[in-house]
Structure formats: structure tokens, C-alpha cells
Amino acid sequence: GQIKVVRVLNHGRPAAYGTFLADWRARGQHLVHFVIGTGIGGGMVSGGAVFNGAHHFSGAYGHIKVDPRGSTRCVCGGTGCVELFAAAPAVARFAAERGVVLSQPDGRGVRELGDLARAGSEPAIEAFRIAGRWLAVAIGCVANVCDPAFVTVGGGVIAAAQDGRGGNWYVDAAADAAREMVIPRIAEHLTVVEASLLNDAALIGAAARAAQL
């Protein structure tokens, strides 16, 4: 038959919804989801519904300002965005500054960086941790406003940062630092975890939303 309805969603919001549906820890909860790849996006689910915002632009977490004095321009045209310090190109940059040589020195090299980290490279591990601590600033901003039950972090960078023993260098660093970025009452219950679906969350969330049309 003919396609009668077409809906377009920024990938961060269906990723949040897919995580909400598929991750038992988030089910039924107020969820904030971050997607870390070549850029940073995400979404929020509350009461089972995706929050889209008045003009359907919600979830632009990558453009939360974490360095007001920064001079490097972001793709949005602004400066100081967390995307410049916590997305894949930043992870690769932190690694290069510590002497790590990647075959793909831009953000496409994070998988290789993950392999080096799991092989014991301390500079590679530290590159993930530094980026995670930068993300913590943005997590704190969102958590102070929204008071989420869970913050999940997924995407290609997070998949690359898995330590092979059940931990995640990026997410663990973000979780530890985020507690210092929020008021004490929120810090008591702030839970920041690696998303269970990582790169598949947006596909599952989009399919679920389509089935509801």
C-alpha cells in the first residue's frame, strides 16, 4: 500500500525512546539519554512520552556551553559547546595530545583507540576519561533542571570505550564527575549508566514510534 504518513525525528529522540523501551533499568522512569558519536545529541522520556519541545528541537545536548571563553567554532556556529570536548573528534584529539597515533586521526579512529585502551594503553584510556569528564558538565546541567531517574549514555564512542570487563572508561568518568555538578539532593540519586543498546537504540525507537502512528 501507499505510505500515508511520514514523520521525521532527530535520531537522539528515538534513541532515547528505544532505550526507554528496551533497557529494564529505565522502564517506567524519567529518562535522559545522551548519544555520543561524531557529535552529541539525545532525548528525554517522561511518563512514557518523548519530550519534543515546542518546536521539535529538544535534545541538542551537544550545544550546552561548557567553556564560555572558548574560541573554537562548533558546527552550530557557536563556541564553547560540549560537543567540542566530548564527542569522537575530541577523544581523538586528546589521544593525539598524549602521543597516541591512530590510522584515522579524526573521530573515525575511536574504535582503534578503544582497541589500544583494552590492550593497556594508558594515554588511550585517559583520552576517553577526559572526554567523559567534559560530558559530566552537560549531564549536570540537564540533571539540575530535569531531575531524571536515570541518565543513559550510548553511541559509537561509548561502544569503543568499553573496557572488556563490564566497565566503561568514558561513562564511568562521566558518572563520577557528574555528581559534583548537581545539587546535593539530586546527587544522592543521580544514576549515570552505559545504555544497553548503544548504536541500535535509534532504530528500535523509530520503529516503535512508527508502529504507534
Side-chain angles (χ1 to χ4, degrees), residues 105 163 186:
D163 66 10
I186 290 178

Side-chain angles (χ1 to χ4, degrees), residues 63 65 67-68 70-81 84:
H63 306 290
K65 307 302 182 184
D67 183 17
S71 58
T72 303
R73 288 286 171 187
C74 178
V75 294
C76 72
T79 61
C81 300
L84 296 171

